[in-house]
Amino acid sequence: MLDHDVRQEAFAVTSRFRDDTFDCLTTRGDTLFELADALLCADGPVKTPVDLTLTAEHRRGHGAMYDALNSGRVDVPRLRQLLAGLPQPKAADGRLVLAVDVTHWLRPDAPTSPGRLFCHVYGRSGRSSDQFVPGWPYSFVAALESGRTSWCQILDALRLGPADDVAETTAAQVRRVVEDLIGMGRWKTGDPDILIVFDAGYDAPRMAHLSAGLPVEALGRMRSDRVMRRPTPSLREYALAYPQGGRPPKHGKELRFAKPDTWGDPDAATVQVTDRYGTARAMAWDRIHPRLTTRSAWIDHTGELPIIEGTLIRLEVDRLPGGHSPLPVWLWSSATGLSGEDVDLRWQAFLRRFDIEHTFRMIKQTLGWTRPKLRSPEAADRWTWLVIAAHTQLRLVRPVAADLRRPWEKPAEPGRLTPARVRRGFRNLRPNLPCPARAPKPTQPGPGRPPGSKNRHPASRHDVGKTARRPETITEREQIRP
């Protein structure tokens, strides 16, 4: 009886999501919806979008498919609210954990595509062979689940433009997602703060400052060569340390990550034995903050620079799953006064951040997110949201999907299927779901360009890279101003 209720609930939620998604496709909606169904029902990984028009679920021709990607329209704000209103996965303590990361849609051979940036990628031989390849970087926000899994709920995707500041654009994206979660009732007053997990590419203290006013906590990895400051001493502490007087300092003593003699005694220390990493030892120091200067990202800040305090966490493990030698990981959380249990929850949530990497791999290699050779970035955005809608449907039907495994694959436990294995059985589940797309009308293909004629309107070429440069110093800023 319980299994029957679970199946009915899964089909009901997925059916409502499909109907609401179709309402978000305001132009060329029938073709776009059938294209998303073809993504889910195609055999094997998606190689090219034109192959999807050969599936039975896509009842229109390849010309309609390209016309929908180039001239269709998706109501992105409405679709984003629809994703935020779905049941969200939560951590062990009941809080929402969101991961923010950037992945690239590489387009090195597309000089006619505007908005490309130099994307930092790593070669097959490791970090020593990193290079910069032109492409479209996309910032994703996803809700993470607890425990080891390859699932997460994608909530937003934003293409970064040549004139965008990554930190400010990401902070605005996070603010928009959190406001949607609050508006759809997924976070209420009295719930724990939403934990936002960043990687080392983001400045966690700055992201916490840009997210002020939201019920969120920023958690990010820090470089191992950073230098931060201890809490500002009180007037009494300063008078006892310097009886001769003087101007009270704004910052405490230095805490250099590379010099253990500057660490001092931690405010919290924990030891846990794990299966994958061996013994995990964590140390935490409370009210640690960076010393900000009027340079780079803070050059346009007016008034006195803020003191952004948080908890500094150092995590050290015995081994790594891949056999590599482990290095200590430094984390910074915008929350203060954390206990040992809270510290363990933070570094465990950071490890869950890598689940979004499995999602990137799945949408790229299985759903073919970066396969289309689209010229305009607007068409790339439409395709991206179709892939997100398709991935969300896989997550919603996960409880009722059958394990159609290959003979050489191991059986999976109920409810532990990977997204790729859920996709194999989606074609069998689709007859139980509504299809709001209308049947195609008979039509004749257009005449096209006359044979032998030349193209009199060649496409424009576009440069690659940033179009706006932020000054690093005040002197440089004054030189740039007219």
Side-chain angles (χ1 to χ4, degrees):
M1 190 66 180
L2 178 61
D3 181 67
H4 176 75
D5 294 339
V6 171
R7 291 179 60 88
Q8 292 297 325
E9 179 65 19
F11 281 124
V13 174
T14 309
S15 299
R16 289 194 298 268
F17 178 78
R18 288 170 62 88
D19 290 335
D20 295 338
T21 301
F22 180 76
D23 294 337
C24 297
L25 309 177
T26 56
T27 304
R28 309 293 196 277
D30 298 326
T31 306
L32 292 175
F33 189 87
E34 290 187 354
L35 184 59
D37 272 1
L39 271 173
L40 296 170
C41 299
D43 295 329
V46 176
K47 299 299 183 181
T48 58
V50 70
D51 292 339
L52 299 176
T53 62
L54 302 179
T55 61
E57 291 73 18
H58 194 282
R59 298 173 293 180
R60 291 161 172 82
H62 62 278
M65 183 269 297
Y66 283 115
D67 180 64
L69 290 178
N70 293 322
S71 304
R73 183 176 300 175
V74 180
D75 191 349
V76 174
R78 185 176 178 181
L79 182 55
R80 192 168 51 236
Q81 292 181 354
L82 177 61
L83 294 172
L86 294 174
Q88 302 297 329
K90 295 185 178 181
D93 63 343
R95 75 172 66 219
L96 287 170
V97 181
L98 306 183
V100 181
D101 202 359
V102 174
T103 187
H104 309 296
W105 184 338
L106 301 181
R107 299 300 311 278
D109 301 326
T112 59
S113 296
R116 294 184 302 161
L117 298 175
F118 287 106
C119 304
H120 188 198
V121 297
Y122 296 104
R124 294 184 178 271
S125 58
R127 293 180 178 270
S128 59
S129 61
D130 56 340
Q131 54 186 330
F132 291 91
V133 181
W136 289 317
Y138 276 82
S139 175
F140 281 81
V141 179
L144 303 179
E145 296 187 1
S146 60
R148 292 176 54 191
T149 178
S150 58
W151 290 92
C152 65
Q153 174 59 61
I154 302 177
L155 297 176
D156 192 19
L158 178 66
R159 177 175 46 84
L160 302 176
D164 293 336
D165 179 81
V166 177
E168 295 178 355
T169 304
T170 304
Q173 181 187 21
V174 170
R175 182 177 294 273
R176 186 170 56 243
V177 171
V178 172
E179 291 176 351
D180 289 340
L181 291 172
I182 297 175
M184 300 304 294
R186 294 305 168 184
W187 186 92
K188 300 178 182 178
T189 304
D191 293 345
D193 289 344
I194 301 175
L195 188 61
I196 313 294
V197 186
F198 301 93
D199 201 5
Y202 300 89
D203 187 7
R206 188 187 177 199
M207 299 305 299
H209 177 74
L210 294 175
S211 303
L214 294 176
V216 300
E217 174 189 342
L219 175 66
R221 184 170 64 172
M222 311 290 285
R223 298 195 316 268
S224 59
D225 59 349
R226 287 290 297 267
V227 179
M228 303 192 79
R229 293 302 185 102
R230 296 185 179 277
T232 304
S234 63
L235 295 179
R236 180 179 177 83
E237 294 174 345
Y238 177 74
L240 294 175
Y242 298 93
Q244 68 274 18
R247 182 179 179 181
K250 295 183 179 180
H251 309 278
K253 295 182 178 180
E254 290 184 346
L255 192 152
R256 294 179 175 268
F257 294 2
K259 292 186 177 182
D261 55 344
T262 63
W263 298 351
D265 295 332
D267 297 308
T270 62
V271 178
Q272 281 197 8
V273 179
T274 63
D275 296 334
R276 291 172 58 84
Y277 305 99
T279 303
R281 293 170 290 273
M283 297 186 297
W285 293 267
D286 195 21
R287 298 182 59 194
I288 304 298
H289 64 273
R291 181 180 180 180
L292 305 179
T293 58
T294 312
R295 294 174 60 90
S296 188
W298 300 93
I299 192 171
D300 295 327
H301 183 80
T302 58
E304 188 176 357
L305 292 173
I307 296 179
I308 310 173
E309 292 185 339
T311 301
L312 182 65
I313 303 172
R314 182 182 186 271
L315 176 64
E316 187 176 6
V317 298
D318 291 339
R319 61 178 183 271
L320 294 178
H324 302 284
S325 57
L327 296 176
V329 177
W330 292 88
L331 306 175
W332 186 89
S333 171
S334 60
T336 57
L338 299 181
S339 62
E341 183 180 354
D342 297 332
V343 171
D344 288 338
L345 188 144
R346 265 64 180 181
W347 66 258
Q348 291 170 3
F350 176 79
L351 295 182
R352 293 274 61 80
R353 190 206 69 84
F354 295 97
D355 294 342
I356 196 175
E357 302 292 344
H358 298 288
T359 301
F360 291 158
R361 181 179 179 181
M362 192 270 172
I363 65 176
K364 287 183 178 181
Q365 297 185 1
T366 303
L367 296 182
W369 172 50
T370 58
R371 289 291 184 175
K373 307 300 182 182
L374 302 174
R375 174 181 296 179
S376 67
E378 293 78 14
D381 295 341
R382 298 185 192 100
W383 173 257
T384 300
W385 282 105
L386 289 183
V387 172
I388 293 175
H391 182 270
T392 303
Q393 293 184 55
L394 292 179
R395 176 177 170 269
L396 295 179
V397 299
R398 175 175 51 164
V400 298
D403 185 12
L404 305 180
R405 64 184 182 90
R406 302 291 188 259
W408 54 85
E409 294 177 342
K410 295 181 180 180
E413 299 178 2
R416 298 290 298 176
L417 296 179
T418 62
R421 292 171 76 162
V422 172
R423 178 174 174 263
R424 293 176 189 170
F426 188 86
R427 174 172 287 177
N428 300 330
L429 301 175
R430 184 176 177 271
N432 300 320
L433 301 173
C435 182
R438 295 163 293 186
K441 299 179 180 179
T443 182
Q444 294 292 333
R449 185 188 303 169
S453 62
K454 295 183 178 180
N455 183 12
R456 299 182 183 275
H457 303 282
S460 302
R461 264 55 176 174
H462 301 274
D463 296 331
V464 183
K466 289 283 188 179
T467 58
R469 180 176 178 272
R470 179 187 295 272
E472 296 291 335
T473 62
I474 297 179
T475 304
E476 186 178 355
R477 183 184 61 182
E478 296 299 330
Q479 293 176 353
I480 296 177
R481 289 180 178 178

